[in-house]
């Protein structure tokens, strides 16, 4: 599975600049609102040193990383839920993603238009969050009305759905996102799929000045405090730095990052934060001429992990031959690892761990 992450925020906060830096897509990124009118989608290989190390050991013909899909969505403004700006068209795009990367402007740039006279990241976050909540509230209200009518006419299913819908409606009216409405798993199961936006996990991406990289400003600290109180992850990225890095060679990138005192660019930090947000892990396969990374939910059992490769692998699962990346690196070779007894044979109940290297045996 690939992460599907929607990039949202007010106009001119740096969404398209970050998208271009991450995907090399070269979509328009001008200094005026609504430069982005259609959603832009780009696939990005997930940087993973473990995959590089495994490939260096086995020297396969093909090395295939797992990928993240980023969707650059046009800026939201106050009243978007009612169609202001470019409105509901883009709210619809947001409903299709797995997670939201909410880009927040913390950088100074007098020549780049902003939606408000004063640059206030917390205010900007609240504007976007309010629009998303109001869009969800409209959906939930309609669902409540429809379900209440069906309940009155004798529908047992509607009577089961209604309490959970009303609980959800009350939470959103109180200013809570759907993900904080307090519904149990059973209550979520009882209601129809509404395509809510505010039940998606959120990662705040703070687009900062280059000077903030070493010494965050009060403005950046306020945004970080807001994210912490919101129970959300936050990543600081300097869009201008990422834009410069996109055109540099690997050697030039390393020198540039060293000069800034950074261990890695913003993209890996963003992707790793998104993995943690969605509780994802990576396992690896070595099959003939190919070494490949795969992304799964933490807690996935071996047969279901095999099914990510091919449905036949899950249907005919027999066993999984497993060893850990760390064990392979310590042993120095697969043969030595086997001699040390670190190759394990696991069955249907085995839960795949982050960094496992797996060979699935199946019979169809």
């Amino acid at each position: 599975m690939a992460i599907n992450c929607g990039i949202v925020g007010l106009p001119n906060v740096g969404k398209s600049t970050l998208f271009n830096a991450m995907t090399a897509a070269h979509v328009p990124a001008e200094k005026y609102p609504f430069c982005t009118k259609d959603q832009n989608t780009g696939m990005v290989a997930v940087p993973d040193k473990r995959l590089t190390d495994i490939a260096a050991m086995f020297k396969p013909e093909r090395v295939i990383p797992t990928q993240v899909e980023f969707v650059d969505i046009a800026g939201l403004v106050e009243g978007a839920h009612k169609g202001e700006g470019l409105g509901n068209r883009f709210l619809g795009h947001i409903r299709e993603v797995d997670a939201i990367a909410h880009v927040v402007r913390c950088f100074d740039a007098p020549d780049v238009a902003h939606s408000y006279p004063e640059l206030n990241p917390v205010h900007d976050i609240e504007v976007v969050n309010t629009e998303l909540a109001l869009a969800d509230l409209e959906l939930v209200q309609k669902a409540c009305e429809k379900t209440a009518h069906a309940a009155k006419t004798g529908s047992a299913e509607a009577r089961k759905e209604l309490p959970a819908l009303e609980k959800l409606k009350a939470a959103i009216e109180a200013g809570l996102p759907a993900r904080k409405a307090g519904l149990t798993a059973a209550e979520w199961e009882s209601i129809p799929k509404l395509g809510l936006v505010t039940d998606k996990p959120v990662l705040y991406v703070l687009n900062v000045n280059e000077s903030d990289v070493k010494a965050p400003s009060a403005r950046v600290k306020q945004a970080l405090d807001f994210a912490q109180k919101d129970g959300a992850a936050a990543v600081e990225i300097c869009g201008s730095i990422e834009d410069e890095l996109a055109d540099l060679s690997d050697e030039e990138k390393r020198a540039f990052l060293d000069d800034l005192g950074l261990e890695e660019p913003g993209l890996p930090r963003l992707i790793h934060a998104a993995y943690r947000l969605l509780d994802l892990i990576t396992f690896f396969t070595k099959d003939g001429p190919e070494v490949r990374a795969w992304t799964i939910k933490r807690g996935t059992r071996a047969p279901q992990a095999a099914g990510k490769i091919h449905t036949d692998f899950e249907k005919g699962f027999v066993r999984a031959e497993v060893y850990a990346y760390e064990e392979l690196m310590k042993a120095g070779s697969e043969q030595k690892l086997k001699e040390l007894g670190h190759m394990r044979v696991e069955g249907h109940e085995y839960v795949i761990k982050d960094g496992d290297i797996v060979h699935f045996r199946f019979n169809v």
Side-chain angles (χ1 to χ4, degrees):
M1 64 179 291
I3 300 174
N4 182 269
C5 197
I7 304 173
V8 305
L10 292 176
N12 294 108
V13 297
K15 299 184 304 299
S16 294
T17 297
L18 287 171
F19 179 82
N20 284 334
M22 291 185 291
T23 66
H26 304 298
V27 302
E30 305 297 340
K31 298 176 181 179
Y32 55 83
F34 307 119
C35 167
T36 302
K37 293 184 178 180
D38 298 297
Q39 69 171 10
N40 299 298
T41 302
M43 301 298 293
V44 181
V46 175
D48 196 320
K49 181 181 179 297
R50 297 172 299 179
L51 180 63
T52 304
D53 291 343
I54 295 167
M57 184 171 290
F58 293 116
K59 297 179 174 54
E61 294 176 15
R62 296 185 300 276
V63 180
I64 304 177
T66 190
Q67 294 188 315
V68 177
E69 181 182 50
F70 284 104
V71 183
D72 180 28
I73 298 167
L76 294 169
V77 297
E78 285 187 82
H81 72 287
K82 298 185 292 186
E84 293 294 331
L86 295 171
N88 285 317
R89 177 178 169 190
F90 300 106
L91 289 169
H93 293 160
I94 300 170
R95 297 190 197 286
E96 298 169 4
V97 302
D98 300 320
I100 293 174
H102 183 162
V103 180
V104 183
R105 178 171 170 175
C106 297
F107 65 88
D108 297 299
D111 61 329
V112 179
H114 187 55
S115 301
Y116 299 95
E118 181 186 0
L119 182 55
N120 183 331
V122 172
H123 170 266
D124 294 354
I125 290 171
E126 290 174 336
V127 168
V128 173
N129 286 352
T130 297
E131 288 306 316
L132 299 182
L134 289 171
D136 276 357
L137 181 59
E138 186 176 339
L139 285 178
V140 174
Q141 284 174 331
K142 289 179 180 177
C144 278
E145 291 169 6
K146 181 180 178 181
T147 305
H149 177 73
K152 287 180 181 178
T153 58
S155 169
E157 184 177 355
R159 284 197 293 269
K160 182 181 176 183
E161 292 175 4
L162 191 57
L165 280 170
E166 289 178 335
K167 182 177 178 180
L168 182 60
K169 176 173 172 285
I172 297 175
E173 286 176 336
L176 294 173
R179 63 183 174 276
K180 294 185 178 180
L183 270 66
T184 64
E187 286 174 321
W188 278 116
E189 283 292 325
S190 73
I191 62 178
K193 302 296 181 186
L194 299 174
L196 300 177
V197 177
T198 64
D199 71 337
K200 300 179 186 299
V202 174
L203 171 66
Y204 291 110
V205 182
L206 310 185
N207 195 357
V208 304
N209 295 310
E210 189 169 326
S211 59
D212 292 323
V213 171
K214 293 183 178 179
S217 66
R219 185 187 295 153
V220 173
K221 291 177 180 177
Q222 287 173 353
L224 289 170
D225 287 344
F226 180 93
Q228 184 177 25
K229 290 174 183 175
D230 193 35
V235 176
E236 299 160 65
I237 292 180
C238 178
S240 61
I241 290 176
E242 299 302 316
D243 205 25
E244 287 186 62
L245 286 169
D247 296 323
L248 299 179
S249 67
D250 289 343
E251 187 176 336
E252 290 170 329
K253 283 180 184 177
R254 186 66 267 159
F256 188 28
L257 291 170
D258 286 344
D259 187 53
L260 292 168
L262 294 174
E263 291 188 10
E264 60 181 357
L267 176 58
R269 289 187 284 112
L270 173 57
I271 290 175
H272 297 151
Y275 263 56
R276 291 191 296 271
L277 184 70
L278 293 170
D279 203 20
L280 300 174
I281 63 169
T282 301
F283 74 92
F284 306 94
T285 55
K286 178 184 73 72
D287 185 14
E290 179 180 287
V291 166
R292 184 164 183 166
W294 304 86
T295 300
I296 55 173
K297 276 277 190 184
R298 190 181 303 278
T300 300
R301 297 186 188 279
Q304 287 68 51
K308 296 294 180 183
I309 301 172
H310 196 286
T311 54
D312 284 349
F313 283 30
E314 182 175 358
K315 291 176 184 175
F317 178 86
V318 176
R319 66 181 183 274
E321 296 168 1
V322 184
Y323 54 90
Y325 158 80
E326 291 83 0
E327 292 171 341
L328 177 65
M329 292 300 109
K330 286 178 183 177
S333 71
E334 188 177 54
Q335 181 59 40
K336 183 64 175 177
L337 180 138
K338 290 178 180 178
E339 292 173 4
L340 292 169
H342 293 317
M343 173 82 78
R344 308 186 310 278
V345 176
E346 303 288 356
H348 286 74
E349 298 304 309
Y350 178 70
V351 175
I352 299 292
K353 296 179 177 61
D354 189 39
D356 274 352
I357 302 170
V358 189
H359 180 68
F360 294 106
R361 299 289 185 180
F362 68 102
N363 184 17
V364 177

